[in-house]
Amino acid sequence: MESADRVDIAQWRSFMQNPAAYAHPERLAACFDRAISATACKTLLETKRLSTRLSHLIEKRYALGAERSAEEAIGEEDRRVALLPPDAMAEVAMRAGVTYWASAFAGAITGSEAAPLRREFGEELCAYALANKDLAGPKQELDPVDTARERIASDGWRCLAAWCHVVGPAAGTRFRLKLRPMALLDEVPSAALLEIGPQIIRRVAGQGRA
């Protein structure tokens, strides 16, 4: 994930006005009540002459048109998050997750769990957690360490869901369109994650690769 410069206005407008350019095929399939397969929808989305028509269809299905008035109210930090490419999401989720769990990392990194923790996550992610400890969520138990990666990544996705919820549908719903439907991203997370998750995501997106 590369460090981001100021958000390009043309890229931002395309994000707001042309959801067919980035929507996951399964999100488009829902527009047809899945009467058309995701494979066929992928072909449709790759057909440039259909882009405007499909964007209108997506906007109608997900009630995006009514949110155009919010376009200018979305700040630079949130625009940077909104424009993250789909192939960066897993890394963003993991970095968000280790940040949320940073108190647990700080407690374990000098204890008996340090070696298995470093083996499971690597030195770089462990260092990233400690460097962003000011945004840590409540202390949680890492044990068993061999299942910690899945639990931490899940909370990272919940941080993304919290950002989507807090920023509102103008950017949040469009952001979700980039990925296949998934409960961790689509459902409203806990109050604790709603409070701190968006801040974590903004930092991860702003920092790029540590």
Side-chain angles (χ1 to χ4, degrees), residues 95-107 121 129-130 133 135-143 147-148 150-156 158-159 193 200:
R95 287 173 179 267
V98 298
T99 300
Y100 188 71
W101 281 67
S103 293
F105 276 76
F121 290 92
L130 297 180
K133 188 185 170 189
L135 286 180
K139 181 79 177 284
Q140 300 181 78
E141 289 297 326
L142 282 164
D143 282 334
T147 67
E150 181 180 355
R151 289 179 281 130
I152 289 171
S154 293
D155 274 347
R158 292 185 183 102
C159 285
L193 278 156
I200 292 174

Side-chain angles (χ1 to χ4, degrees), residues 39-197:
T39 301
C41 285
K42 183 176 185 293
T43 300
L44 293 175
L45 289 167
E46 291 170 348
T47 305
K48 290 188 176 181
R49 63 183 175 82
L50 297 177
S51 182
T52 299
R53 190 183 309 174
L54 293 175
S55 285
H56 289 173
L57 180 65
I58 293 167
E59 285 188 341
K60 182 177 180 181
R61 171 74 182 204
Y62 295 98
L64 299 178
E67 301 300 332
R68 289 277 183 85
S69 61
E71 179 175 348
E72 299 305 321
I74 299 171
E76 184 77 10
E77 282 186 313
D78 289 325
R79 291 185 182 197
R80 184 171 291 115
V81 177
L83 294 178
L84 288 168
D87 60 6
M89 303 299 192
E91 182 181 354
V92 168
M94 182 55 71
R95 287 173 179 267
V98 298
T99 300
Y100 188 71
W101 281 67
S103 293
F105 276 76
I109 208 71
T110 56
S112 60
E113 295 172 310
L117 193 67
R118 288 193 175 97
R119 283 196 299 270
E120 185 68 27
F121 290 92
E123 294 283 352
E124 193 268 340
L125 271 179
C126 290
Y128 189 89
L130 297 180
N132 293 283
K133 188 185 170 189
D134 59 303
L135 286 180
K139 181 79 177 284
Q140 300 181 78
E141 289 297 326
L142 282 164
D143 282 334
V145 174
D146 60 355
T147 67
R149 176 174 284 271
E150 181 180 355
R151 289 179 281 130
I152 289 171
S154 293
D155 274 347
W157 284 108
R158 292 185 183 102
C159 285
L160 279 165
W163 177 85
C164 290
H165 183 77
V166 168
V167 81
T173 301
R174 285 176 169 84
F175 180 88
R176 290 187 182 101
L177 289 175
K178 297 181 182 186
L179 298 168
R180 68 175 71 249
M182 55 186 296
L184 287 173
L185 184 61
D186 293 347
E187 294 177 356
V188 179
S190 68
L193 278 156
L194 282 173
E195 181 178 353
I196 200 169

Side-chain angles (χ1 to χ4, degrees), residues 25 27-37 40-41 44 54 57 61:
R27 300 288 187 175
L28 179 61
C31 297
F32 301 106
D33 295 323
R34 308 205 175 274
I36 298 178
S37 70
C41 285
L44 293 175
L54 293 175
L57 180 65
R61 171 74 182 204

